[in-house]
Structure formats: C-alpha cells, structure tokens
C-alpha cells in the first residue's frame, strides 16, 4: 500500500521540475559563481536568474534578497543582524515577538534576551491569532524590531502581518516576518500588502525546493550585522560560496509557486481537499475539535484535538498504517514536550498532547484523503478501546 504523506509543513516533496532544473548544477555546470571564467559566469547567471524568480514571487527587487541555508538562518540573521549592533554599542533596544513563533525565532529572541536585549512575547488569542491592539500596547520608544510570523507551522493560523507592520512602522520599529509556512500557499506582496515589512524569511523545503535552502528579504536601507564572516558574497550580507544547485531549485520552485498562486483553481483544490479531510474526521470521530479552527488559516493545514488520545501513540499507529502525520509537540532530548504554540493559545498540557497536525501538499490526491478518512478514525477507535 503506497504511503500517504500528510506532513507537508515539516517538509515538502521536491517537484520534478525542480529536480530537473538542479540536475546540470551537480554535473557539467559546477563553476564557482565568484570565478571570472566562463564556468563561473554560467553559475553566477543561474544564481541571478533564481534571485529574479524569487523576487517576482515576492514582488520585491532582486537586490533585496539574500540566499541562506534555510528558514532558521534567515530568522537568526534578521533578529541578530538588527539587534547585535545595539548590544555592541551598549544601547538599549527592545524586541517584540510572539509566544507562538517557531523556535528559530523564539530561541534567537531568548538568546538576545540573555545578552541584554529587552524582549516582549505577545500571547495569542485562544484561536492562535495576535491582536493588533496587543502590539500597539507593547510598543516602547526604544522598540527597534517587531517579529511576527505570517502562518503558524502547527495550526496554520495566519497573522494580519500587513496591519501589524503598519502599526510597528508608525512607531519607527523595523518589522520582520517568518513567512516560511506562507510561501507557495499565500500571495506575498512586499510592494503591496506587506510594503511595511522590512525583512521576510523563506525556506526552500516548505515550498517544494530542497532542504538547506532559504531566503531573507532585506529591504533597502536596513543595516544588518552579518552572522558569518568571510567573503563578500550576497552583497556582504552572507559570506560563503553559494549553494548553486539548491538556489537554482529554489528559483524554479518560486516560479512554479507563482504560477500556482495565479491559478485560482489549483489553490482552491488544495483547500477543498483539506476541508474534506477535516470535515470527514469531525463527522466520524467523537469528541474532536479544531485548534485555531476559527482563525484565518493556510489552505493545507488542520490541527485536531482528539479527546483522550495520546497524539504520539496515534502517530505511531498511523505510521504503521502508512499515514505520515505530525503532532503539535517538539521532541527535545528524547522527551516529548507539549507544544508551546498550543499551550500559548490556552490549551491544557493534556489537550496539547492530544492534538494531531495534518498538512497536505500539492501532491496530495483525493484518493489519499479517502484512505486517510478510513485509517485515522479506525486508529482513534482502536486506541480509545485500549485505554
Ligand atoms: N520557521 C517556520 C515557521 C518553520 O515552520 C520552520 C521549519 O519548520 C522554520 C522556520 C525553519 O526552517 P528551516 O527548516 O529551513 O531551517
């Protein structure tokens, strides 16, 4: 029985077109893009082509994009890059972020806090949404940066980043958004809705490009202290020879995401499949509720609270049945902690531990959803009968 992959928020499969685009850059086209000879110029031009493709997806100037090793590096560069100079100069600085961020932001904020940056963590509503009034109230004269994610990786809840950015900007703070889970799902317009966003993180492997690739958009004029020291790559913002095959793959994935977002039919069919899965599970499993179900959400994610079920045990049972899912929890040093996102939304540890995340990809089919609708309720019934 073929496996059913419902964990696209963890990583997406590679699109065949992306693999094809990358292929020559592992064989005949291997030059260092910083080399002046023709081999180098060929890869340089491929990197710049990819930059233009990502820029089109974001409606941003290509020069304002920095290629990185992924979402984690982009988030670290945004936060530390802006705030480290204040620490160096011993000037007071305040960062506002949220308690539902990915650890790439949360742990960077905590590290900056330990080194002397003042940090405020905004709490979400029960639906996992940050209230703009909370941001307004938290801003201080020395707030230098506001970092709020666009879409949550566990619940799919979308924050009103355009509105939050407007508020932060009016107070003179820079704005960063971790848009890793928004890419290829939502339109990201840095000249329109997000014109007040100064920095935006993307990760290749959440948008059908390879793992270990990413982008940080850095608006003209924003000064960033680099994380790495070395060559003058990426306009002095990210030292290190470029990951050419990965960047080419990311560029191709951006082109395909652009086409896909412009085709309403494609985008709505993913949401229709997610809704069918969600409604089917709610109809066939007693005592189940949605987390962030009332919030605006990305079209591929559902997070279900299944009373009395240990999501970890359910995951193992589903895996044996060929369904790959995830749960809103971080596995740290072997111990499973309840999800910080669900706890921040006000769920109890028991509720958080009984929550299952299912995230669809562009490859998910109606047949797979039908099969998941048989397997998941049966696995829940079996676990309940055992306990
Ligand atoms: N931000 C969010 C919201 C994510 O979901 C992830 C990955 O799960 C990251 C950042 C980290 O991205 P990467 O795995 O490319 O380092």
């Amino acid at each position: 029985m073929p496996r059913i992959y419902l964990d696209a928020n963890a990583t997406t499969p590679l699109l065949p077109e992306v693999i094809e685009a990358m292929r020559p850059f592992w064989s005949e086209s291997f030059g260092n893009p910083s080399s002046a000879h023709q081999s180098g110029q060929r890869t340089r031009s491929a990197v710049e082509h990819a930059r233009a493709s990502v820029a089109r997806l974001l409606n941003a100037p290509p020069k304002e994009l920095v290629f990185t090793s992924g979402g984690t590096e982009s988030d670290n560069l945004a936060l530390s890059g802006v705030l480290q100079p204040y620490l160096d100069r011993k000037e007071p600085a305040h960062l506002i972020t949220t308690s539902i961020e990915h650890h790439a932001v949360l742990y960077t904020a905590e590290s900056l806090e330990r080194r002397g940056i003042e940090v405020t963590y905004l709490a979400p509503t029960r639906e996992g949404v940050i209230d703009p009034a909370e941001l307004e109230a938290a801003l201080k004269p020395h707030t230098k940066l506001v970092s709020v994610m666009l879409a949550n990786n566990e619940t799919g809840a979308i924050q009103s980043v355009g509105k939050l950015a407007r508020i932060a900007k009016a107070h003179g703070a820079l704005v960063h958004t971790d848009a890793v889970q928004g890419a290829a799902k939502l339109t990201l317009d840095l000249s329109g809705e997000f014109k007040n966003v100064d920095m935006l993180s993307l990760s290749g492997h959440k948008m059908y490009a390879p793992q270990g690739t990413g982008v940080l958009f850095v608006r003209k004029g924003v000064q960033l202290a680099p994380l790495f020291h070395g060559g003058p790559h990426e306009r002095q913002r990210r030292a290190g020879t470029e990951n050419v095959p990965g960047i080419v793959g990311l560029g191709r994935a951006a082109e395909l995401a652009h086409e896909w977002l412009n085709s309403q039919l494609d985008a709505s069919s993913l949401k229709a499949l997610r809704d069918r899965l969600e409604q089917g599970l709610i109809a066939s499993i007693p005592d189940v509720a949605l987390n962030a179900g009332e919030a605006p959400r990305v079209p591929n994610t559902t997070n279900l609270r299944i009373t009395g079920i240990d999501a970890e045990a359910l995951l193992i049972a589903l895996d044996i049945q060929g369904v790959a899912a995830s749960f809103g929890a971080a596995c740290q040093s072997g111990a499973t902690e309840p999800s910080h996102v669900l706890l921040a939304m006000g769920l109890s540890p028991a509720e958080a531990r009984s929550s299952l995340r299912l995230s669809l990809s562009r490859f998910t089919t109606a047949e797979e959803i039908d099969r998941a609708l048989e397997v998941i309720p049966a696995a829940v019934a079996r676990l309940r009968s055992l306990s």
Side-chain angles (χ1 to χ4, degrees), residues 9-10 69-73 75 102 104 149 151-153 178 180-181 203-206 212-213:
N9 286 8
S69 65
T72 300
E73 185 188 330
D75 288 343
H102 188 273
M149 74 195 321
N152 187 268
N153 41 306
D178 174 339
V180 163
Q181 294 289 348
S203 168
H205 75 109
K206 313 292 182 173
T213 60

Side-chain angles (χ1 to χ4, degrees), residues 7-10 100-103 149-157 178 180-182 185 206 298 300-303 326-328 339-341 357-359:
D7 200 15
N9 286 8
I100 55 170
E101 298 296 314
H102 188 273
H103 285 136
M149 74 195 321
L150 176 60
N152 187 268
N153 41 306
E154 293 185 24
T155 63
D178 174 339
V180 163
Q181 294 289 348
K185 298 172 193 161
K206 313 292 182 173
V298 285
N300 78 318
T301 308
T302 185
N303 192 310
S326 168
F327 58 130
S339 149
H340 71 280
V341 172
R357 178 185 77 181
L358 300 167
S359 47

